Amino acid sequence: MANHSRRDFIRHSLLGLAALPLGAGILSRTAFAQELPLLDPQSDQAKALNYVEVASDASDNPAYAEGETCANCMFYQADTKGCQLFPQNSVKPEGWCQSWTAKA
């Protein structure tokens, strides 16, 4: 009987240890995403994609169409204000960049 309990304990411990990185990854991704610094429009990365904090400021860009904002772009993550194109930063929901793509 003691061997059976010891085996169960070891099995459950190993399963718990195996699941630990998954749980930590989910928690840390959410925690880090909420703390992302706002993208600086003057940064090289932002300039490369013609990012602006207010979409209407891009009205002279041929790629811009009225109504396009980060908030309705497929790359925008509303819960964290993150953008897949700028993974180290958050963006303003009312912003825009030339990679704007409609949500599917």
Side-chain angles (χ1 to χ4, degrees), residues 27-84:
L27 291 175
S28 64
R29 184 171 5 125
T30 302
F32 289 137
Q34 291 174 346
E35 298 174 10
L36 291 175
L38 187 61
L39 178 65
D40 177 2
Q42 298 305 312
S43 72
D44 291 339
Q45 188 179 16
K47 285 182 176 182
L49 293 178
N50 294 312
Y51 172 78
V52 292
E53 292 183 324
V54 178
S56 61
D57 290 347
S59 61
D60 60 341
N61 187 311
Y64 174 77
E66 190 173 335
E68 296 177 350
T69 65
C70 291
N72 60 25
C73 177
M74 71 176 280
F75 299 116
Y76 183 71
Q77 300 161 342
D79 58 334
T80 62
K81 294 185 181 174
C83 175
Q84 295 173 16

